[in-house]
Amino acid sequence: KSAIIAALIGSAAAFAPAQNKAATTALNAFEDELGVQPPLGFFDPFGLLSGDVTQERFDRLRYVEIKHGRIAQLAFLGQIVTRAGIHLPGNIDYAGNAFDSFPNGVAALIGPDSIPFEGQGQIIAFIGWLEIAFMRDVPGTGNEHVGDFRNGYIDFGWDDFDEETKLQKRAIELNNGRAAMFGILGLMVHEEIVPLGYDADLPIIGHL
């Protein structure tokens, strides 16, 4: 949860109007960056880019925003898929516990019916391996922008796009990531308040 909240704070720095003189430098420097768009414009309510901020600082915040946006998109998609009754076939362990025997959402990680620590540990180790081996920007491999993790061996036709199309696709990913961060956070909050007696019928997801 804290990672998603931190990502939302980082996301806010990428896009709204300056509120004071200290933010003027940042506004002038970054108002034309990707993701600055109506109706908010350059939106930095936490002042993360206030004052004399370097391009390196902005790129770091953008890097975090993009990565957490990608994670949130996968998380939201996972909610939709598992709550639709789609799970991996077979058993998750040698004891015979099927993948679909565990609850969805937060309850799969925390609670009496959650995945055992050994299983969660394997998941964490796998994510760590992806983070170290693939989900990073390797210098000198021809990556074009912040968040470009192709590293010279993944393309999927990207090099065939013109610059306008590339910019459009990057903007789509950025905005989908922002929406997904709010979306997965909203699902987590709703799941936690169900025991309090509020069980909303959410779009796409339904009842939690």
Side-chain angles (χ1 to χ4, degrees):
K1 296 180 183 179
S2 59
I4 295 177
I5 294 174
L8 290 174
I9 295 176
S11 171
F15 52 122
Q19 299 294 326
N20 49 51
K21 294 181 179 179
T24 302
T25 302
L27 176 60
N28 293 336
F30 305 116
E31 62 181 355
D32 294 326
E33 289 284 351
L34 182 71
V36 178
Q37 58 193 44
L40 296 178
F42 181 79
F43 189 59
D44 183 17
F46 295 101
L48 298 180
L49 293 175
S50 296
D52 188 13
V53 178
T54 64
Q55 183 67 43
E56 182 180 4
R57 167 68 172 169
F58 178 88
D59 289 345
R60 173 58 184 170
L61 291 172
R62 174 51 53 83
Y63 180 91
V64 172
E65 179 185 20
I66 291 175
K67 179 172 282 191
H68 283 83
R70 291 169 178 169
I71 294 171
Q73 289 177 75
L74 291 173
F76 193 87
L77 180 61
Q79 285 271 9
I80 295 175
V81 171
T82 55
R83 292 188 183 280
I86 302 174
H87 299 84
L88 292 173
N91 299 324
I92 196 173
D93 56 26
Y94 290 117
N97 295 307
F99 282 98
D100 60 4
S101 65
F102 294 95
N104 301 312
V106 176
L109 301 176
I110 304 173
D113 300 320
S114 62
I115 299 172
F117 173 77
E118 294 80 4
Q120 294 191 36
Q122 292 180 56
I123 295 173
I124 294 172
F126 177 67
I127 294 173
W129 175 71
L130 290 177
E131 182 79 9
I132 295 173
F134 299 103
M135 302 303 161
R136 61 193 184 98
D137 186 350
V138 179
T141 55
N143 295 336
E144 299 178 4
H145 53 81
V146 175
D148 185 352
F149 296 159
R150 291 178 299 155
N151 298 324
Y153 60 87
I154 299 177
D155 182 64
F156 297 122
W158 179 261
D159 289 334
D160 296 330
F161 297 135
D162 57 42
E163 292 304 316
E164 182 178 357
T165 301
K166 288 181 179 180
L167 195 63
Q168 179 187 38
K169 290 185 177 295
R170 288 175 57 199
I172 291 173
E173 180 194 25
L174 188 61
N175 287 323
N176 285 344
R178 290 169 175 172
M181 284 189 278
F182 280 104
I184 192 61
L185 179 62
L187 288 177
M188 293 167 66
V189 170
H190 275 81
E191 186 173 346
E192 291 300 304
I193 64 177
V194 167
L196 302 179
Y198 181 76
D199 185 11
D201 186 8
L202 302 174
I204 302 178
I205 297 294
H207 291 281
L208 299 179

